[in-house]
Amino acid sequence: MFSFFKRADNNGAQTPPLNGHFPNPTPALPEVEERVFVETSAPKEQVQAQMPVDHHIGVLYAFMDKNHEVKGYDDALVNPDVSNLNQNLEALKSELIRTLNKVRTFYEDFVQETEFHITTRSRSGMVDMVEELEMKKKIAQGHIDKVKAIEGDTAREEGDCKGILISYTRGFKNGLAAISHHHILSRRF
């Protein structure tokens, strides 16, 4: 009974036909050496490439341009508590301060590196290169001044920071209103 599933018996005779067809004998597969798919040597230590960290002023503006109203609305739907609103406003302000610090540090490091290049290139008599470096340094210093102005506004909760906080609060309040509308105002008496 089980000979039906065998391809050939021990003396090489073929099995009976399946649905009127003889099964094609499959050729024996070559034996694959173990070294082909098993690594026997110690794993090589991978060196991670250092990605340059870019915390330029565009990162700061991208954060400030983000739609915080949607986040506030979603947060209100998850936890419609005023203490949650206050905590999230503080977290948002903290995130802005961290972003400001990263951007300021990026430009301060850039200015120091540029000053080194200005000093060494001026000793080599590379006047045009020094002028280009001075221009880059002046641009970076302007960005630092702008970041410091935004930091001052953030400390006083004015300017760009105030816009972020207002946007988030508006979204949170809209979320609270949506909850009230859905649960209370849409009921029929």
Side-chain angles (χ1 to χ4, degrees), residues 17 121 123-124:
R121 297 330 179 248
R123 275 190 257 147
S124 298

Side-chain angles (χ1 to χ4, degrees), residues 68-183:
H68 298 283
E69 191 169 338
V70 172
K71 181 170 175 19
Y73 183 89
D74 292 341
D75 287 347
L77 295 180
V78 172
N79 186 359
D81 189 354
V82 176
S83 66
N84 184 41
L85 168 65
N86 295 333
Q87 287 175 345
N88 290 339
L89 286 173
E90 285 301 314
L92 197 57
K93 189 175 172 184
S94 253
E95 189 176 351
L96 176 59
I97 291 169
R98 276 192 312 276
T99 304
L100 285 164
N101 288 336
K102 288 177 187 177
V103 172
R104 186 175 28 79
T105 302
F106 172 80
Y107 281 111
E108 287 171 349
D109 292 348
F110 179 79
V111 166
Q112 286 181 348
E113 187 177 348
T114 304
E115 286 174 349
F116 168 77
H117 283 265
I118 289 169
T119 303
T120 58
R121 297 330 179 248
S122 64
R123 275 190 257 147
S124 298
M126 303 173 77
V127 177
D128 291 338
M129 176 64 72
V130 170
E131 288 177 3
E132 284 183 51
L133 291 169
E134 289 284 352
M135 178 57 72
K136 287 287 192 178
K137 178 183 169 187
K138 185 176 179 182
I139 292 170
Q141 194 61 50
H143 288 287
I144 291 172
D145 294 341
K146 180 62 179 166
V147 169
K148 286 180 180 179
I150 294 172
E151 282 177 329
D153 289 346
T154 301
R156 293 183 305 275
E157 292 188 6
E158 296 176 350
D160 294 325
C161 174
K162 187 174 184 177
I164 291 170
L165 300 177
I166 288 172
S167 172
Y168 182 85
T169 303
R170 182 182 315 122
F172 196 89
K173 288 180 179 180
N174 287 341
L176 292 176
I179 291 170
S180 295
H181 181 75
H182 178 72
H183 290 292

